[in-house]
Structure formats: structure tokens, C-alpha cells
Amino acid sequence: MEFTMSGRLEVRVTPADVGKRVSLRSMTDPGDTGAHLTDTVGVLTSWTAGVVCVTRKNGVAVRIPQERLVAGKVVPPAPARRRDLPAASFTELTRVAARGWPPVESEPLGEWTLRASGGFTRRANSVLALGEPGLPLDAALEHVTAWYARRALPAYVQVGTGAEGADELLAAALAERGWVREVSAEVRIAGLAPVLDAAEEAGSEVAVRLDRAPGAAWLGRYQRSGEPGPEVLRVLGGGPSVWFATVPGAPAGAARPAAIGRCVVDGRWAGFAAVEVNPDRRRQGLAHAVMAALARQALAEGASAGYLQVEHDNAAALGLYTRLGFAPHHTYHHYRAPRG
């Protein structure tokens, strides 16, 4: 339904607009004489039983009682990104990132891809939900949970939000079914040449060694590997053209490196990950030096754009990548199946 409020404010959004990007203005508490107005922008993911649900670009769902709406309209897709950033669609970037962190085992479900790697990282042990699963959603999720249960793994679905072509509707549908959003991460992009310039300017004058495979010392510094089994090595080493950067520890011959990083080159894209620095060597430009060495190698192989994925609560990494020129493109989330 469409209805008009007092004055010139109108609610021009209807249940038929589910799936579209909207801007809504609502009262925080209509029963309070001092009620405030608040604005919500995102994708209209449901309108049922008098409650409007809008999913913001960060994946957070906002539910608004219909009677609190003051104004609303459908708005165009998010404005074009900065001209100094590489052009990238949500689907292209998601597929490139998936190739850069490949699972040990995968199986299609319609246009979805089920991925498993012995539990090493959620990205390599979750459903890549691009397109349609070829089944009604409940049947697809039942298939997913059974597939992961046979591998003694929890069932996760990776869903993107915040970019044209992302899937806020699926995120809302999973939440309605009790799936829990456990981890969210930003996907950021940048022009590769400016990244190299910024990294060289701020980097330390240290030797950075590049190798095609992670050695024992590199793995000893990498916080997520634990006891590296074959799954860890296959995921880390997978991808079109993979490089591992190492800054040797001090004194010479120290068991663990002072800093490490990983880069995978895939056509015009270079994906950066696993940039870690010994806590005793932080704020010495080592992370910049690692990024510079990897970016220089990627440029030599013909890459022109960079991407990376960083969790929302990793303030140090977000600060580093912002200084290097990486800007947010979209967000992805891992939804875990209800326990039991």
C-alpha cells in the first residue's frame, strides 16, 4: 500500500518494492512527545505483518513498524565510486577472491559452490552463494547442512552486501531462519601503482624475500595455520600465481620472520592477505615493505588493481590499508547454521 502523511512527506515505498534500495524516515517512538526522526538506507528485504525490514550495506537488518514511517522512497543504486579506483562488479570481484583462496574440495549446487578444506578458514569452508541454488531455499539449506555434516564441519554460507548485485535478500532470509552472522569483513580495492608508491614511501629499508611456497618459518609466523596440515598448504598455495613475502627475523637465523605476507596474481587483480608483523617489530614500516615487495611483483606480472579482505574489528589492518589507498567495495558475511 502507499499512503501519505501530513505535510509534504510521503511514503512512496510499497511491499512491491522488496529487493530495491530504499531510503526511509521513521519516528523512533511515536508515543513520545519528544520523538526523534531517523533515516535508514538499504535494501528493502521484507514487509510483512506490518513490519518493514531494511538491510543496510553492512549487513545489519533494521526492522521498523509500519506505523512509524514518516517518509520513504526508492533510491538509485549507490553512487559511482571514486574515479581513481579500478572498476569492479560485485560478481567479478567475488569470483576473483574465491580463486585466490581456493578450497580443497568443492561441489556445485545450482549456481552456488559448496567448499570444504578441513576447517581451515571460513572462506574455504563455506558456501559461495552467487546466483541461485537451483532448489527452493529451504531445500538448498537442508542440502548444505547435510553436506557439511558429512565432513564433520559446521555449515556456513558466505553472503555479500553493500554493492550492486550483492544479496541482501539472502542475508535477511538466512537471519529469519535462525542462521547466525558470525563474521563480517570488508572487501577493499585500490589501484596497484598508487599502492606501491604509498608503500615504498612509508616502508622500511629491509630485505624482503619472495618465494613460491610458504616455508616452515613463514608458517611459524602465520597466526591462522596452527599445526599446518595438507589442507592449509593447499589453500595457501592455491591460485593462479602465488607469492609469499618474508622479512627475516633478527638476529639473523631467528626461527620466526619479522614479517610476512601473501599475494595472488590473477589477470589484472592482485589479492593481498596474511600480512603479519612480529609484535616486537611493529611500527617500523615492515608491513609497508612487505606490501611494496608484493605489489612490485604483481605489477611486473601485469596486474593493475589490488584487493584485500579485512575483518571489521581489525583496526590496525584497516588503518594500514586505508593509508595505502584501499577503499571499501562491499562487505561479506559468514552465516552459520542454527546449532542442533
Side-chain angles (χ1 to χ4, degrees):
M1 69 180 188
E2 182 171 325
F3 53 96
T4 302
M5 304 297 291
S6 61
R8 300 174 60 184
L9 298 178
E10 289 184 291
V11 177
R12 297 178 178 176
V13 178
T14 77
D17 294 316
V18 167
K20 298 179 181 178
R21 190 166 178 264
V22 299
S23 175
L24 302 179
R25 175 162 292 181
S26 59
M27 292 182 287
T28 55
D29 186 352
D32 185 351
T33 56
H36 297 286
L37 298 177
T38 183
D39 293 322
T40 305
V41 178
V43 174
L44 181 63
T45 46
S46 68
W47 188 327
T48 57
V51 177
V52 179
C53 181
V54 174
T55 301
R56 290 175 166 153
K57 64 180 182 180
N58 62 1
V60 174
V62 178
R63 290 173 173 79
I64 306 169
Q66 177 179 307
E67 65 271 13
R68 295 190 182 184
L69 293 177
V70 174
K73 61 181 179 180
V74 175
V75 296
R81 301 183 185 278
R82 292 183 350 218
R83 293 185 178 182
D84 60 331
L85 295 178
S89 72
F90 167 77
T91 300
E92 175 198 5
L93 195 52
T94 300
R95 293 198 185 282
V96 167
R99 289 197 298 268
W101 198 260
V104 173
E105 177 187 6
S106 64
E107 180 178 303
L109 178 62
E111 296 175 300
W112 289 9
T113 303
L114 283 62
R115 305 173 293 183
S117 303
F120 172 63
T121 72
R122 290 179 181 83
R123 277 184 286 163
N125 293 272
S126 59
V127 178
L128 184 61
L130 284 177
E132 299 296 329
L135 296 171
L137 181 57
D138 288 324
L141 294 178
E142 183 177 351
H143 178 92
V144 165
T145 53
W147 193 85
Y148 283 99
R150 290 194 295 271
R151 291 155 179 79
L153 293 170
Y156 284 98
V157 175
Q158 179 181 317
V159 185
T161 62
E164 188 174 0
D167 205 348
E168 284 84 354
L169 287 173
L170 177 57
L174 291 172
E176 289 172 359
R177 287 161 173 77
W179 287 62
V180 179
R181 180 163 56 96
E182 286 194 349
V183 175
S184 296
E186 281 187 357
V187 178
R188 293 191 166 205
I189 60 174
L192 199 53
V195 167
L196 176 58
D197 291 342
E200 286 183 333
E201 182 177 347
S204 174
E205 293 291 334
V206 296
V208 181
R209 189 179 73 245
L210 296 182
D211 300 293
R212 282 297 198 176
W218 194 99
L219 291 167
R221 169 56 55 203
Y222 183 49
Q223 295 182 10
R224 294 195 176 190
S225 63
E227 291 295 329
E231 297 91 352
V232 175
L233 296 177
R234 286 183 62 181
V235 173
L236 286 173
S241 178
V242 185
W243 292 95
F244 297 87
T246 304
V247 176
R256 290 190 175 186
I260 60 170
R262 175 185 182 270
C263 178
V264 55
V265 183
D266 184 354
R268 72 184 180 111
W269 289 102
F272 299 91
V275 178
E276 297 184 9
V277 178
N278 185 323
D280 294 336
R281 300 290 304 276
R282 289 174 181 166
R283 302 185 184 280
Q284 298 179 19
L286 299 188
H288 291 87
V290 165
M291 290 292 292
L294 293 172
R296 195 177 300 114
Q297 178 62 43
L299 282 165
E301 294 187 23
S304 60
Y307 74 89
L308 50 83
Q309 298 154 304
V310 57
E311 294 181 5
H312 284 166
D313 59 357
N314 192 340
L318 288 169
L320 168 67
Y321 298 136
T322 297
R323 291 190 295 273
L324 291 177
F326 284 91
H329 182 275
H330 67 272
T331 302
Y332 71 81
H333 319 272
H334 284 115
Y335 285 83
R336 178 172 177 151
R339 299 184 185 276

